Amino acid sequence: MIETILFITIRLYKLLLSLYPAEFRKTFGEEMTEVFYESLQTAADAGWGDLRTVLGNELRDWPVSCLRQHLWERNRLLLPESSFLSGWGAVAAALPFLLYFFMSFGPSISREVLLIVFGVAMVAAWWQRWPGWFVSWLGFLILFGQNWLPYSLLGAGPALNSLPRLLNMLSTVVFQTGWLAVMYWVVHRWPRYGVLVFLPSLWMPWAFSMEFASEAMTAVVSNAVFIVSALIAVTISVQRTSSGDVWLLYAGALLPGGLLTLGSVLFTPGMVNAWVDFGSHLMQALAPFAGILLLQSLNAWGREHIAQRFTHRMTAGALLMFMARLTMVHLYGPSGLTAFQLSLTPVLTAAGLLGVLLVFSGGWRLRTHLEPAGKRHLTVMSVMLILLPLLYYAPFLTNIVNTLIYDQPNFIRLRTVPPALQTVDSVVFAIGLVGLLLLPLTIGWLRRQTAAFPTSTEQAGLKAWRQRRRERRETRNRFGTAWLSPKRLALLLAFTILLAGGIFFVAVFLPLQLKAEPYTQQIALGDLDSDGHLDAVLANTMRLLPHAENRILYNDGSGHFSDGNQDIGEGGTGVVLLDSDADGDLDVVVGGMIGGIEFRNENGRFTPDDIITSHAPESGASQFYFHTGDLNGDGIPDVFMAGCCGTGISRAPEEMEWVAPVNRVLLGSDAGLVDSGQALGVRGSQAVALGDVDGDGDLDAFVGNTQSNRENMRNDEPNEVWLNDGDGNFSDSGQLLGDQRTYAVALGDVDGDGDLDALVGNEGADELWLNDGEGRFTLSDQPWSKRQTLFVFLVDLDGDGDLDAVTGHQLTGSFAWWRQGLIWWNDGSGRFTRGEQRIRFLPNAALAVGDVNGDGRPDIISGALDEVTVWLNEGDGRFSAVDQ
């Protein structure tokens, strides 16, 4: 009996032992089994109680012991420092970039989900000992950590030049320095392929210019950057030379940076001179990472040649200069400086000069340890350690002096200095550029003297690769098992994925994006030719120049539309129809990048009358969106114009002032629309709906906001309600509703209580705000779609006397592909149920609702540039598409 129990126990113990790491089992497995068996024999001789104790202790200690051994095994980390990555490592290094490439074709992914993906990927890479994957994912985590994690330690929005604001700025320095310290550790731990951690951050200096391009072009250029970066990641993973990773790092900045700059020049108005800043952006991209590689290589050399105290001195000096420079960047701004800021100026200047002294003194003492060739390299190293902190934010001297003399009467005499300093900055920039080009050679020389950076025993180059390939073919059967080795399969898989992604990008994705680049921003329905049918006006826009032309399409009464061949401008962001001259027919007001233009209807022909509101920089508005109604009770339609999205005014050299956008009210008169002079709100509005929300008999405005360009820019400004006094003068109700970007608003009585409620289409989940009858809104718990909503309408679709809803959504994170309309049926109490039918329409189309076939039932219309698609209401809750 005892022998049987011991046999079964030992078999179970061996099964549990198989869960330990393989290397651990190989070394200690037999010994542990023998010790455990002897313990069981001794316990069995003593009795059942001791046997249960031994088994219980072993089962209690086994999970922790097993986990500890796995952690120790993995923490010997992924590969030895001198190893080269295998084919699987190359695949893993490219995977994050390829994943981002393919994610752009699907729905948007939240930050939380991305962080979970990052965490799982890094744990998997750590468990499998795939350092390329681990380092690449860590690079993405650092990139998003810099952009997502708040730097502010004392709350958001402290007053300008207050001590909390200054401390918040200094916290930014601490965070950024911390990220660079992590990168330094990565390169120190994996000198062969640690540069992969830098790759995701290299395109950041150029990325801001692409923010002004359209979503379609941004998606095109960004995906091209991902493909190029994936290819560079694979190349870094398999390179074999001592400085090849540094040259590839340069390529990782140069090629994506070139694509982003080219995209800015071609696809973004006002960025035609982006090439002028290409050099400074390249410096900003490479400076911190080149400095890290130089310091890491220098310290590795010093450790092996008993000169580390001097290399540490040079490292401390470079870090001190970087900290002083970074603190100046975040501490100073183009505003009046406080005494505290001014008092720090000599301290930071002294810290920078001390850093220069440490670099020079360490370099001078290091000369005795170097051969003549090394002394020439040491000169380049010392100069670059001093210049790289300055080049991180070039031009350095001009910006700092401009900041110090701004609005400072005591420094009025220094106003003649900046022009001379611009010359100094140009010289520093030229020297830095030359030094940056020489730096890989210098780093390569250092590494060749250092065992921490071994080179491959195999010769590099195409000729050597061909020779090795011929030798392998001669020594083995081409179709043997070696042909299907894991390394070959992994490399084949990596380049196949890259090739497939490139072909898909060029053949499918790029044409779709180019087709979606011009798009219809809004549709207005109205009887333009007085035949009793609703015609359509399409406001078409694009960020490429020239702008897309706006269109008028005439309805034949059955829901079929034809081009009216009317010239009503181009680049429209909003459109509204109204009888602005009281002659009995509808005129057209189109808003665009240049302002609002009125087109008068003269016997069916439309002629431009006036630029009713221009895009003056002082207005702050660069885009316009309209809603019309009689705002002052004179019987003539007026226009409430929502303005987005802020602009900048250059007051002086190196001085830019951001002007927040404002909403405007245009009052109708016999002479046409006249600006009332009101400037309402500074939050950046992209949607507005008019209605009597407070029950006083006049039209108020529910304004949907998106973003503001104030001192602390927000992308989730709350919505506002502006109350009308009856004469067209609006005042803020004080309500701040929601915390999302809002793209569409519709007013209507959805719960049958006699007042107007508001359906709001947001970047995330939509919202229904219920009115208490006095213009005060509370958020309903009604669930809605969580996709980005671009259009909302409240209309009785089924003729049951209550208002149903139609919402139009963008389905993907990328601009191209398609959009989808949803129908929501109201039960009469304000509770909506989503209908089964989906209205799928083009990715560059807008949505509208109106009776276009004269049967008394509202239909759904989508418009894309110069054509419309109509879904006729069949009256039973179904909509059928009509061939045009």
Side-chain angles (χ1 to χ4, degrees):
M1 181 66 177
I2 291 293
E3 291 297 328
T4 302
I5 293 175
L6 293 179
F7 174 77
I8 295 174
T9 304
I10 289 296
R11 292 298 300 269
L12 291 175
Y13 183 80
K14 289 182 177 180
L15 288 176
L16 293 177
L17 194 63
S18 66
L19 298 176
Y20 279 82
E23 191 69 24
F24 179 84
R25 295 198 310 270
K26 182 179 178 180
T27 305
F28 302 106
E30 293 184 4
E31 179 183 353
M32 290 178 64
T33 304
E34 292 177 1
V35 171
F36 181 65
Y37 183 75
E38 293 175 359
S39 300
L40 287 180
Q41 287 279 16
T42 304
D45 294 339
W48 286 104
D50 288 352
L51 184 61
R52 286 194 301 268
T53 300
V54 170
L55 292 177
N57 290 339
E58 189 65 32
L59 290 175
R60 180 196 63 193
D61 298 336
W62 167 79
V64 174
S65 175
C66 183
L67 179 61
R68 181 171 59 247
Q69 292 303 324
H70 274 291
L71 292 175
W72 184 88
E73 178 76 12
R74 265 68 191 177
N75 280 336
R76 284 192 302 132
L77 251 155
L78 318 175
L79 286 174
E81 293 182 358
S82 59
S83 298
F84 297 93
L85 289 186
S86 65
W88 289 116
V91 175
L95 185 61
F97 302 96
L98 294 175
L99 182 60
Y100 259 78
F101 172 77
F102 288 111
M103 278 197 316
S104 66
F105 307 137
S108 299
I109 298 179
S110 67
R111 296 177 180 179
E112 292 77 12
V113 173
L114 280 178
L115 288 175
I116 293 174
V117 172
F118 291 161
V120 172
M122 289 188 64
V123 170
W126 171 76
W127 190 262
Q128 294 295 331
R129 302 192 197 104
W130 286 347
W133 190 352
F134 184 88
V135 174
S136 293
W137 277 118
L138 183 59
F140 272 94
L141 276 176
I142 291 174
L143 171 67
F144 291 118
Q146 288 177 316
N147 290 278
W148 288 356
L149 292 181
Y151 294 152
S152 174
L153 300 180
L154 299 172
L160 182 66
N161 289 335
S162 64
L163 182 60
R165 178 178 176 83
L166 298 177
L167 294 177
N168 284 344
M169 291 179 177
L170 293 178
S171 72
T172 303
V173 177
V174 174
F175 271 89
Q176 290 189 353
T177 306
W179 292 126
L180 292 175
V182 172
M183 291 180 174
Y184 181 89
W185 174 83
V186 170
V187 176
H188 174 75
R189 181 61 186 86
W190 300 291
R192 172 58 54 188
Y193 39 80
V195 294
L196 287 171
V197 78
F198 302 143
L199 203 55
S201 302
L202 288 177
W203 64 70
M204 285 304 294
W206 291 275
F208 177 74
S209 59
M210 283 302 296
E211 292 184 1
F212 300 102
S214 67
E215 296 177 43
M217 288 300 101
T218 300
V220 168
V221 177
S222 298
N223 280 284
V225 168
F226 287 143
I227 292 177
V228 171
S229 299
L231 182 60
I232 293 173
V234 171
T235 312
I236 288 176
S237 301
V238 299
Q239 66 86 24
R240 293 293 186 265
T241 62
S242 59
S243 60
D245 57 342
V246 187
W247 286 113
L248 289 167
L249 177 70
Y250 281 29
L254 186 64
L255 297 180
L259 287 173
L260 288 168
T261 302
L262 182 63
S264 301
V265 171
L266 294 180
F267 307 134
T268 309
M271 299 298 293
V272 293
N273 295 321
W275 288 114
V276 176
D277 298 324
F278 183 82
S280 60
H281 284 161
L282 182 64
M283 290 286 193
Q284 187 175 345
L286 287 175
F289 310 137
I292 287 175
L293 292 174
L294 177 55
L295 292 175
Q296 197 274 337
S297 303
L298 185 65
N299 281 315
W301 184 92
R303 182 172 62 251
E304 295 184 13
H305 292 80
I306 319 176
Q308 198 168 23
R309 63 184 183 277
F310 303 131
T311 60
H312 277 173
R313 186 183 302 178
M314 298 178 73
T315 299
L319 293 178
L320 192 59
M321 285 188 293
F322 174 78
M323 287 288 291
R325 175 70 179 103
L326 194 62
T327 304
M328 287 184 177
V329 168
H330 291 286
L331 192 64
Y332 299 151
S335 59
L337 301 179
T338 64
F340 175 72
Q341 289 170 294
L342 290 174
S343 66
L344 285 181
T345 302
V347 175
L348 296 175
T349 303
L353 293 176
L354 177 60
V356 173
L357 179 62
L358 289 175
V359 170
F360 273 132
S361 63
W364 182 261
R365 297 295 300 273
L366 201 61
R367 292 177 73 254
T368 57
H369 294 261
L370 294 171
E371 58 191 58
K375 294 176 182 179
R376 292 193 296 270
H377 288 290
L378 181 62
T379 301
V380 176
M381 284 188 287
S382 301
V383 172
M384 290 309 297
L385 284 176
I386 294 171
L387 291 184
L388 285 174
L390 308 185
L391 297 173
Y392 189 26
Y393 288 100
F396 169 64
L397 295 173
T398 305
N399 288 343
I400 291 298
V401 173
N402 273 330
T403 298
L404 290 174
I405 66 177
Y406 180 88
D407 197 26
Q408 295 295 322
N410 296 334
F411 298 152
I412 192 66
R413 295 180 180 178
L414 295 178
R415 294 188 181 275
T416 58
V417 174
L421 292 180
Q422 291 176 1
T423 303
V424 176
D425 280 327
S426 300
V427 173
V428 170
F429 180 84
I431 297 175
L433 181 60
V434 174
L436 209 58
L437 294 176
L438 294 176
L439 209 52
L441 301 176
T442 300
I443 292 176
W445 179 87
L446 270 176
R447 290 179 170 184
R448 285 192 293 273
Q449 321 298 317
T450 306
F453 298 93
T455 56
S456 174
T457 56
E458 299 179 345
Q459 292 184 354
L462 183 61
K463 183 178 180 180
W465 175 78
R466 287 176 176 173
Q467 178 64 28
R468 290 194 299 271
R469 190 163 176 260
R470 283 195 298 268
E471 292 174 356
R472 284 194 297 266
R473 284 184 174 180
E474 292 172 358
T475 56
R476 59 172 169 75
N477 183 359
R478 179 177 180 179
F479 299 100
T481 56
W483 178 255
L484 298 177
S485 65
K487 181 176 180 179
R488 283 181 171 273
L489 287 175
L491 287 173
L492 181 63
L493 176 63
F495 285 105
T496 299
I497 293 175
L498 280 171
L499 180 61
I503 293 174
F504 180 82
F505 176 78
V506 173
V508 179
F509 183 72
L510 182 59
L512 280 174
Q513 295 288 29
L514 291 175
K515 181 180 179 181
E517 165 57 22
Y519 61 99
T520 298
Q521 185 92 353
Q522 187 180 2
I523 304 174
L525 299 177
D527 184 6
L528 299 175
D529 52 5
S530 301
D531 63 354
H533 312 308
L534 291 181
D535 307 305
V537 181
L538 279 60
N540 299 325
T541 190
M542 61 192 300
R543 295 297 179 92
L544 292 174
L545 297 177
H547 292 298
E549 294 182 353
N550 306 314
R551 295 285 184 174
I552 291 180
L553 302 176
Y554 289 110
N555 183 4
D556 65 1
S558 63
H560 294 84
F561 289 79
S562 59
D563 194 343
N565 296 317
Q566 298 272 5
D567 182 7
I568 54 169
E570 59 186 20
T573 58
V575 60
V576 68
L577 307 181
L578 72 162
D579 184 8
S580 62
D581 52 6
D583 62 353
D585 52 33
L586 292 179
D587 307 300
V588 178
V589 175
V590 179
M593 294 295 182
I594 63 172
I597 303 178
E598 183 178 7
F599 292 86
R600 294 289 182 88
N601 187 345
E602 298 177 356
N603 299 320
R605 303 302 299 177
F606 291 84
T607 58
D609 180 71
D610 194 10
I611 299 179
I612 53 179
T613 301
S614 64
H615 172 205
E618 289 76 8
S619 71
S622 57
Q623 299 178 28
F624 300 92
Y625 306 87
F626 306 111
H627 205 229
T628 184
D630 184 7
L631 300 178
N632 57 0
D634 62 357
I636 302 175
D638 311 301
V639 173
F640 191 102
M641 185 167 63
C644 180
C645 298
T647 188
I649 302 177
S650 179
R651 300 292 188 187
E654 305 296 334
E655 180 188 342
M656 180 69 70
E657 176 185 348
W658 281 104
V659 180
V662 296
N663 304 316
R664 297 182 178 276
V665 176
L666 310 177
L667 298 177
S669 66
D670 294 337
L673 294 171
V674 178
D675 194 337
S676 67
Q678 299 178 70
L680 309 176
V682 292
R683 299 182 184 276
S685 308
Q686 202 162 327
V688 58
L690 298 178
D692 183 10
V693 300
D694 55 1
D696 62 355
D698 50 44
L699 297 179
D700 310 299
F702 192 109
V703 177
N705 295 321
T706 53
Q707 66 180 15
S708 63
N709 282 315
R710 295 180 293 174
E711 179 186 342
N712 295 311
M713 181 174 177
R714 290 186 51 173
N715 290 317
D716 53 358
E717 290 285 0
N719 302 322
E720 300 169 311
V721 177
W722 292 85
L723 300 178
N724 189 351
D725 65 358
D727 295 325
N729 299 308
F730 288 82
S731 60
D732 190 355
S733 68
Q735 300 178 74
L736 300 177
L737 309 176
D739 57 359
Q740 301 185 66
R741 293 171 67 96
T742 295
Y743 298 109
V745 175
L747 292 176
D749 182 11
V750 301
D751 52 6
D753 61 355
D755 51 44
L756 296 181
D757 310 300
L759 177 59
V760 175
N762 294 320
E763 188 170 37
D766 298 337
E767 296 169 329
L768 178 63
W769 293 87
L770 300 178
N771 191 348
D772 65 358
E774 297 181 357
R776 309 296 298 182
F777 290 85
T778 56
L779 182 61
S780 167
D781 61 356
Q782 164 75 43
W784 295 90
S785 171
K786 295 183 179 180
R787 297 188 181 275
Q788 180 175 332
T789 303
L790 302 176
F791 313 99
V792 296
F793 306 93
L794 290 174
V795 61
D796 185 3
L797 296 174
D798 51 7
D800 62 354
D802 53 44
L803 295 179
D804 308 300
V806 178
T807 58
H809 306 275
Q810 183 168 304
L811 293 185
T812 64
S814 173
F815 183 74
W817 302 112
W818 64 84
R819 293 177 176 180
Q820 185 181 79
L822 299 177
I823 300 169
W824 303 80
W825 303 108
N826 189 352
D827 66 0
S829 65
R831 303 300 298 181
F832 291 82
T833 304
R834 189 170 68 183
E836 297 180 358
Q837 187 172 3
R838 307 291 191 270
I839 305 296
R840 181 171 173 174
F841 56 104
L842 293 174
N844 55 349
L847 210 61
V849 176
D851 180 11
V852 298
N853 63 348
D855 63 356
R857 296 189 292 263
D859 309 303
I860 298 176
I861 304 96
S862 74
L865 300 181
D866 57 359
E867 61 181 353
V868 298
T869 301
V870 176
W871 287 267
L872 293 179
N873 190 340
E874 298 178 359
D876 58 355
R878 300 292 301 175
F879 293 80
S880 58
V882 176
D883 294 330
Q884 293 293 319

